Amino acid sequence: MAERPRAPAPAAWTTEPARKLPRPDEAAVREAIDLVHQAYGDDLRRDYARAVGMLLKAVNTTTDAARRYALLSVAEGVAIDAGDTDLALDVVGQRTSLFDEDGMRARHGMFLKLRKAVKKPDAALFAFAVTTAEEAAAAEEYDLADGAADVALEIAVAIDREERRLITEYRKIRRPQQPPPEATAKTLIADAKQLQRVLQDARRETSEFNDAEKRLLANPSDAEAALLVGEYICFVKRQWKRGLKYLARAGSEPLRDLATRELALPDGSAAEPGARFRLAGGWWRLAESGPLTPPQAAAVRAHAADIYDDVLPLLSDPTEKALARKRAGREPEPPSVDPRQRAADPPNSAVAPVTGGRKPK
């Protein structure tokens, strides 16, 4: 299948403007959208990619904010009606870079429109639903995340129905030369249900964090609250610099000890490489055998890997360097001497040559 034409993004938008425009008044936008449809209606129904490119070009040549917003909104609709997710995302990205609009919510809204427009959902739309849910969860917008996850499950179920229909038809026709349709929906359904469970856990963890943060404000010596706050910031948000001070106040001894040691190190990865190497080892051991859940262990292991990666250029001991390189996920360092080349014995060597496995007489 030939690749569909793309509408190029205007060169003026390769970087976001220093100051975004306020979102225009709804009434003005509706009026402008009506005007855009009157002006470009026939062209919008022909070549959708060309139409989107034309609308984006018009955005760059007008100064009226409502019309610019309307042109971008109509371009988004054209891309959605064509089922071109990538192009629709491009347009939404350009709109949110120009106007003061929540990008995550704009993409979420675009996804819901796309879901309604697509008559036959596929794995690509499922993947977009999952991404939308994950993005909303990262912003702690769990209602939006749950909605996208529910739609992901609906898409997976719809794909399953279509696959069942195709398999039934295949069995009726029985064409040996034609392979049976590939079934992927079961995996998608399982993934969607797993996503729903993950979001439930994330919502619970966020709620526990918010409660613990309030408790800690009321009682700074609450070690249990400090542990919950530190675990959430470090393990979930992966913001270790911000969260270490809470782990250092926690009641959990290995976490408290390691966090205290890390906070005591001077700023800058070049300071005390030996201490940083040992610290990374401590975090790594905690991840491997500590009282952590698998997601927590993964977060701790990633933090240790970051420390190993930072300290690697400063290490001189070859064993330490090899371990740091391995745990940082780096490729092994190539040997300085090719091991296949046997070094020649020095003249008058006291080492007797070995012949046939026997000691010479």
Side-chain angles (χ1 to χ4, degrees), residues 123 156-170 181-189:
V157 170
I159 294 172
D160 183 53
R161 282 198 301 267
E162 179 63 13
E163 288 180 351
R164 288 171 181 269
R165 185 187 68 79
L166 293 174
I167 290 172
T168 301
E169 287 185 0
Y170 173 82
E182 184 180 1
T184 61
K186 296 297 183 186
T187 301
L188 299 183
I189 290 173

Side-chain angles (χ1 to χ4, degrees), residues 90-128:
D90 287 344
V91 174
V92 170
Q94 293 186 34
R95 192 179 73 222
T96 56
S97 71
L98 184 63
F99 290 94
D100 187 11
E101 188 176 9
D102 188 320
M104 186 274 296
R105 287 184 174 273
R107 286 185 291 275
H108 186 274
M110 189 217 89
F111 162 69
L112 295 179
K113 295 174 191 173
L114 185 68
R115 174 65 187 97
K116 292 179 180 179
V118 173
K119 296 179 175 60
K120 187 180 289 187
D122 56 12
L125 186 61
F126 174 84
F128 186 31

Side-chain angles (χ1 to χ4, degrees), residues 172-223:
K172 288 179 180 178
I173 297 172
R174 292 184 180 179
R175 292 178 178 172
Q177 71 278 12
Q178 183 179 349
E182 184 180 1
T184 61
K186 296 297 183 186
T187 301
L188 299 183
I189 290 173
D191 289 345
K193 290 181 177 179
Q194 174 63 17
L195 175 61
Q196 290 177 326
R197 289 191 290 270
V198 168
L199 291 176
Q200 288 176 358
D201 291 342
R203 186 189 285 268
R204 174 184 51 77
E205 288 175 345
T206 302
S207 177
E208 290 175 351
F209 162 73
N210 290 332
D211 291 342
E213 197 172 37
K214 292 176 183 176
R215 286 165 47 197
L216 203 56
L217 286 172
N219 180 15
S221 62
D222 188 333

Side-chain angles (χ1 to χ4, degrees), residues 2-8 46-53 82 84 86-87 90:
E3 185 178 354
R4 288 183 288 186
R6 314 299 302 168
R46 294 184 185 126
D47 183 337
Y48 80 90
R50 182 176 176 276
V52 170
D84 194 328
D86 292 338
L87 184 56
D90 287 344

Side-chain angles (χ1 to χ4, degrees), residues 2-326:
E3 185 178 354
R4 288 183 288 186
R6 314 299 302 168
W13 291 351
T14 53
T15 58
E16 289 192 14
R19 185 177 180 181
K20 294 185 179 183
L21 299 173
R23 194 177 188 278
D25 176 71
E26 286 292 339
V29 170
R30 284 196 299 270
E31 182 180 344
I33 287 176
D34 184 58
L35 187 65
V36 169
H37 278 291
Q38 291 180 45
Y40 300 100
D42 293 338
D43 293 320
L44 301 181
R45 289 184 285 272
R46 294 184 185 126
D47 183 337
Y48 80 90
R50 182 176 176 276
V52 170
M54 178 177 58
L55 292 170
L56 296 183
K57 183 178 179 180
V59 172
N60 261 5
T61 55
T62 183
T63 57
D64 186 282
R67 289 185 184 177
R68 297 178 88 178
Y69 194 93
L71 286 161
L72 288 163
S73 298
V74 173
E76 176 193 351
V78 171
I80 287 173
D81 290 342
D84 194 328
T85 304
D86 292 338
L87 184 56
L89 280 171
D90 287 344
V91 174
V92 170
Q94 293 186 34
R95 192 179 73 222
T96 56
S97 71
L98 184 63
F99 290 94
D100 187 11
E101 188 176 9
D102 188 320
M104 186 274 296
R105 287 184 174 273
R107 286 185 291 275
H108 186 274
M110 189 217 89
F111 162 69
L112 295 179
K113 295 174 191 173
L114 185 68
R115 174 65 187 97
K116 292 179 180 179
V118 173
K119 296 179 175 60
K120 187 180 289 187
D122 56 12
L125 186 61
F126 174 84
F128 186 31
V130 171
T131 300
T132 302
E134 291 173 342
E135 184 182 22
E140 297 182 3
E141 295 282 357
Y142 291 111
D143 289 341
L144 297 181
D146 289 341
D150 291 344
V151 173
L153 182 58
E154 291 174 9
I155 292 170
V157 170
I159 294 172
D160 183 53
R161 282 198 301 267
E162 179 63 13
E163 288 180 351
R164 288 171 181 269
R165 185 187 68 79
L166 293 174
I167 290 172
T168 301
E169 287 185 0
Y170 173 82
R171 288 172 178 168
K172 288 179 180 178
I173 297 172
R174 292 184 180 179
R175 292 178 178 172
Q177 71 278 12
Q178 183 179 349
E182 184 180 1
T184 61
K186 296 297 183 186
T187 301
L188 299 183
I189 290 173
D191 289 345
K193 290 181 177 179
Q194 174 63 17
L195 175 61
Q196 290 177 326
R197 289 191 290 270
V198 168
L199 291 176
Q200 288 176 358
D201 291 342
R203 186 189 285 268
R204 174 184 51 77
E205 288 175 345
T206 302
S207 177
E208 290 175 351
F209 162 73
N210 290 332
D211 291 342
E213 197 172 37
K214 292 176 183 176
R215 286 165 47 197
L216 203 56
L217 286 172
N219 180 15
S221 62
D222 188 333
E224 183 184 0
L227 176 63
L228 288 171
V229 170
E231 286 180 338
Y232 184 83
I233 296 174
C234 292
F235 301 163
V236 178
K237 292 298 185 181
R238 306 288 180 100
Q239 298 172 359
W240 286 82
K241 287 184 178 180
R242 177 184 162 211
L244 281 171
K245 62 183 179 182
Y246 297 105
L247 293 182
R249 293 155 57 186
S252 176
E253 186 173 334
L255 283 172
R256 184 181 65 240
D257 175 60
L258 288 166
T260 302
R261 285 167 55 189
E262 186 162 347
L263 288 170
L265 289 172
D267 291 336
S269 59
E272 301 190 28
R276 292 183 186 278
F277 177 82
R278 292 188 293 274
L279 175 69
W283 284 118
W284 192 274
R285 285 189 295 275
L286 179 65
E288 294 294 297
S289 57
L292 303 175
T293 65
Q296 290 175 335
V300 171
R301 193 178 296 108
H303 180 56
D306 287 341
I307 299 175
Y308 277 123
D309 193 57
D310 287 341
V311 80
L312 178 59
L314 307 172
L315 298 175
S316 57
D317 182 86
T319 303
E320 290 183 353
K321 290 183 71 172
L323 182 61
R325 184 177 292 276
K326 177 182 178 181

